[in-house]
């Protein structure tokens, strides 16, 4: 039997072995996707880190829509972001300190923390050589492999004491920007024939500033750096139930090493239904700019969006990317913040017309999707709707959109890992799957 045919044969047989009737899930009370029948998430854990509020429950326990809120260690996101915008200062390191420790730092503590981050940003020369050897086009895969390689350079990689976990967390937060910047520069060199620049991170610069410097030299503005800083803050944490953070908590519950757990989180975030969605939105936006002649014509926009929903236009998936969220109903607070940031940046970049067009797509997209789905539940634009547009205005390439998400979310991942490993009553996370396959009698080889 030819090997190619065997692969096809095995694959074809999967069509039957993977069939489970949909009614079986209801019969056995299975919460598919860990979701309740009303769409809310199944409660599987407790945390002191992040809180995602997208709905409320009435006296009868039914879900009621409400404006979205996101809390970091008890502080509402807008209360953390607004002062930074007003004072025009950087804050990602401050938020990282908050998420790791549980409280906001004072001036002296923040200065020492920033110095610690800067000290840990440079990479071991062996890691740099490893990145050069990989020279792959998928920066998320390179990031994951570099994280796993850090295990071999760590004197105490399997130590899960609190002090060691904090050390590892700070090193990961500091080195993600360097790995991503170097990996992209090498990709650009090998794939596009551009000059190869490996810039050493500078002292007394923030993570956002250093990342842009390592990526682009001096080709960025102060507003670019502050916008990236705020993007990192907004994406740093989203509760314990999002797929990648839950992945980190599940793997951490086995007491595996930090690097294996974080690599698993990177693999989860890479998926197009999670961190990879921002690329889907910006590509859709590029298409709509060409497909719609009058960017102010609501009727023309609605007609085209409905064609998309009917799988007649664009990629024919029936989706308007960036519209809708698993938890948020009336609004996604991250999208609200990013919408504000995008407007400020669009003024500097002379892209106000595109910004106004994107806002109109959001407004009409919500209406069209709601009408098409015939749902009473309010839906809203999510984080990804504006993030790609901001990245593009800053001058960042698509290849690192999702890695930047990881650069932000590593803070939340490490905070949740530390919490998972410091519960007073730790238990391995082990849900159940019910087997519905009928028992079979073994048939000897000679009788098959």
């Amino acid at each position: 039997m030819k090997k190619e045919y065997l692969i096809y044969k095995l694959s074809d047989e999967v069509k039957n072995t993977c069939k489970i009737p949909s009614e079986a899930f209801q019969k056995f009370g299975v919460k598919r996707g860990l979701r309740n029948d009303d769409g809310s998430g199944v409660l599987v854990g407790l945390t002191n880190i992040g809180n995602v509020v997208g709905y409320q429950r009435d006296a009868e326990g039914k879900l009621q829509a409400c404006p979205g809120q996101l809390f970091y260690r008890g502080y509402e996101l807008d209360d953390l972001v607004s002062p930074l915008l007003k004072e025009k200062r950087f804050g990602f390191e401050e938020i990282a300190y908050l998420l790791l420790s549980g409280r906001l730092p004072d001036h002296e503590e923040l200065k020492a923390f920033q110095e610690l981050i800067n000290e840990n940003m440079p990479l071991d020369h062996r890691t740099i050589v490893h990145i050069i050897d990989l020279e792959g086009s998928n920066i998320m895969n390179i990031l994951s492999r570099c994280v796993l390689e850090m295990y071999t350079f760590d004197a105490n990689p399997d130590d899960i004491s609190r002090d060691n976990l904090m050390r590892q967390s700070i090193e990961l937060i500091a080195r993600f920007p360097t790995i991503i910047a170097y990996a992209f520069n090498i990709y650009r060199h090998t794939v596009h024939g551009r000059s190869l620049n490996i810039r050493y991170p500078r002292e007394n610069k923030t993570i956002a500033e250093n990342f842009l410097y390592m990526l682009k030299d001096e080709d960025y503005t102060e507003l670019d750096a502050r916008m990236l800083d705020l993007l990192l803050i907004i994406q740093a944490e989203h509760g314990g139930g999002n797929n990648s953070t839950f992945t980190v908590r599940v793997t951490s519950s086995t007491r595996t090493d930090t690097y294996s757990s974080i690599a698993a989180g990177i693999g989860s975030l890479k998926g197009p239904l999670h961190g990879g969605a921002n690329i889907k939105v910006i590509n859709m936006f590029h298409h709509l700019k060409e497909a719609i002649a009058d960017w102010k014509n609501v009727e023309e926009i609605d007609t085209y969006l409905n064609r998309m929903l009917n799988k007649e236009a664009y990629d024919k998936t029936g989706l308007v990317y960036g519209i809708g969220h698993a938890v948020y109903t009336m609004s996604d607070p991250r999208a609200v913040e990013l919408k504000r940031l995008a407007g400020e940046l669009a003024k500097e970049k002379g892209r106000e017309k595109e910004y106004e067009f994107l806002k109109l797509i959001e407004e009409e997209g919500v209406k069209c999707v709601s009408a098409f789905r015939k749902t009473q539940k309010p839906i809203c634009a999510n984080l990804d709707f504006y993030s790609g547009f901001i990245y593009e205005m800053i001058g960042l390439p698509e290849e690192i959109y999702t890695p930047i998400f990881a650069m932000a979310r590593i803070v939340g991942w490490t905070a949740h890992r530390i919490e998972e490993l410091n519960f007073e009553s730790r238990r391995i996370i082990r849900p159940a799957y019910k087997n519905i396959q009928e028992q079979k009698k073994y048939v000897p080889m000679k009788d098959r």
Side-chain angles (χ1 to χ4, degrees), residues 2 24 75 80 97 148 155 168 190 239 288 327 332 388 394 427-428:
K2 290 185 177 180
Y75 296 94
L80 297 170
Y97 190 107
L148 288 172
Q168 291 174 330
T190 55
L288 291 174
V327 179
D332 179 340
I394 294 173
R427 296 189 70 178
I428 186 172

Side-chain angles (χ1 to χ4, degrees), residues 163-212:
D163 288 352
N164 200 55
L165 287 173
M166 189 60 72
R167 174 190 63 81
Q168 291 174 330
S169 299
I170 290 169
E171 290 178 359
L172 285 162
I173 292 166
R175 291 172 189 167
F176 264 41
T178 315
I179 294 170
I180 294 165
Y182 286 8
F184 177 75
N185 281 330
I186 292 165
Y187 159 77
R188 187 178 63 170
H189 170 71
T190 55
V191 176
H192 299 294
R194 302 285 297 278
S195 297
L196 176 57
N197 297 296
I198 301 294
R199 301 182 185 90
Y200 199 81
R202 291 179 166 180
E203 296 180 3
N204 303 319
K205 292 287 186 182
T206 65
I207 285 177
E209 290 173 305
N210 256 322
F211 179 72
L212 291 176

Side-chain angles (χ1 to χ4, degrees), residues 232-246:
L232 295 176
I233 291 170
I234 290 167
Q235 297 180 105
E237 161 61 4
H238 207 233
N242 72 81
N243 196 285
S244 58
T245 301
F246 186 57

Side-chain angles (χ1 to χ4, degrees), residues 312-378:
E312 298 170 354
Y314 187 41
D315 60 3
K316 299 181 181 179
T317 60
L319 299 173
V320 177
Y321 296 108
I323 301 297
H325 191 269
V327 179
Y328 296 118
T329 51
M330 294 174 65
S331 61
D332 179 340
R334 303 168 303 169
V336 172
E337 296 291 350
L338 290 183
K339 185 176 183 178
R340 176 167 52 159
L341 302 184
E344 185 175 344
L345 194 57
K347 289 178 184 177
E348 180 182 276
K349 305 297 183 182
R351 299 181 67 172
E352 293 99 327
K353 289 183 179 179
E354 290 172 81
Y355 174 65
E356 293 299 325
F357 181 42
L358 187 59
K359 285 200 302 180
L360 195 54
I361 293 171
E362 177 199 0
E363 183 180 333
E364 297 309 307
V366 167
K367 293 177 184 176
C368 290
V369 173
S370 295
F372 184 81
R373 294 180 182 174
K374 298 178 182 178
T375 177
Q376 299 298 315
K377 174 187 172 183

Side-chain angles (χ1 to χ4, degrees), residues 81-89 226 230 340 344:
V81 170
S82 290
L84 299 176
L85 281 169
K86 183 178 180 181
E87 299 166 22
K88 295 185 177 181
R89 67 181 179 88
R226 286 200 297 108
L230 290 163
R340 176 167 52 159
E344 185 175 344

Side-chain angles (χ1 to χ4, degrees), residues 214-443:
M214 289 187 288
L215 194 75
K216 307 172 64 179
D217 197 2
E218 302 292 347
D219 185 24
Y220 66 92
T221 67
E222 181 187 348
L223 184 59
D224 288 339
R226 286 200 297 108
M227 292 297 105
L228 177 60
D229 178 79
L230 290 163
L231 259 168
L232 295 176
I233 291 170
I234 290 167
Q235 297 180 105
E237 161 61 4
H238 207 233
N242 72 81
N243 196 285
S244 58
T245 301
F246 186 57
T247 297
V248 170
R249 294 200 76 133
V250 169
T251 52
S252 294
S253 76
T254 71
R255 304 194 187 185
T256 191
D257 67 277
T258 293
Y259 307 104
S260 295
S261 181
I262 297 303
I266 293 169
S268 167
L269 187 71
K270 180 188 173 187
L273 296 184
H274 194 2
N278 45 31
I279 296 173
K280 294 284 190 181
V281 176
I282 195 64
N283 287 341
M284 177 189 74
F285 184 49
H286 290 160
H287 174 81
L288 291 174
K289 286 193 295 183
E290 297 294 328
I292 296 175
D294 185 353
W295 291 0
K296 295 182 180 180
N297 189 319
V298 172
E299 184 177 349
E300 184 182 1
I301 292 172
D302 286 356
T303 298
Y304 200 83
L305 291 177
N306 280 312
R307 286 186 62 209
M308 288 171 59
L309 290 167
N310 281 298
K311 301 181 180 181
E312 298 170 354
Y314 187 41
D315 60 3
K316 299 181 181 179
T317 60
L319 299 173
V320 177
Y321 296 108
I323 301 297
H325 191 269
V327 179
Y328 296 118
T329 51
M330 294 174 65
S331 61
D332 179 340
R334 303 168 303 169
V336 172
E337 296 291 350
L338 290 183
K339 185 176 183 178
R340 176 167 52 159
L341 302 184
E344 185 175 344
L345 194 57
K347 289 178 184 177
E348 180 182 276
K349 305 297 183 182
R351 299 181 67 172
E352 293 99 327
K353 289 183 179 179
E354 290 172 81
Y355 174 65
E356 293 299 325
F357 181 42
L358 187 59
K359 285 200 302 180
L360 195 54
I361 293 171
E362 177 199 0
E363 183 180 333
E364 297 309 307
V366 167
K367 293 177 184 176
C368 290
V369 173
S370 295
F372 184 81
R373 294 180 182 174
K374 298 178 182 178
T375 177
Q376 299 298 315
K377 174 187 172 183
I379 61 173
C380 61
N382 59 45
L383 163 75
D384 300 301
F385 196 84
Y386 287 97
S387 62
F389 184 52
I390 295 174
Y391 289 147
E392 187 176 86
M393 287 192 288
I394 294 173
L396 300 175
E398 278 187 15
E399 290 87 353
I400 61 171
Y401 286 6
T402 308
I404 291 173
F405 199 156
M407 192 168 94
R409 189 57 60 84
I410 182 60
V411 176
W413 289 341
T414 51
H416 279 275
R417 173 170 167 79
I418 292 170
E419 185 178 67
E420 184 67 36
L421 288 169
N422 280 277
F423 280 143
E424 291 181 4
S425 55
R426 291 180 290 185
R427 296 189 70 178
I428 186 172
I429 297 174
R430 206 284 186 199
Y433 269 69
K434 183 176 180 60
N435 189 294
I436 60 171
Q437 173 70 62
E438 294 181 358
Q439 281 190 300
K440 300 175 181 177
K441 187 176 180 180
Y442 177 77
V443 179

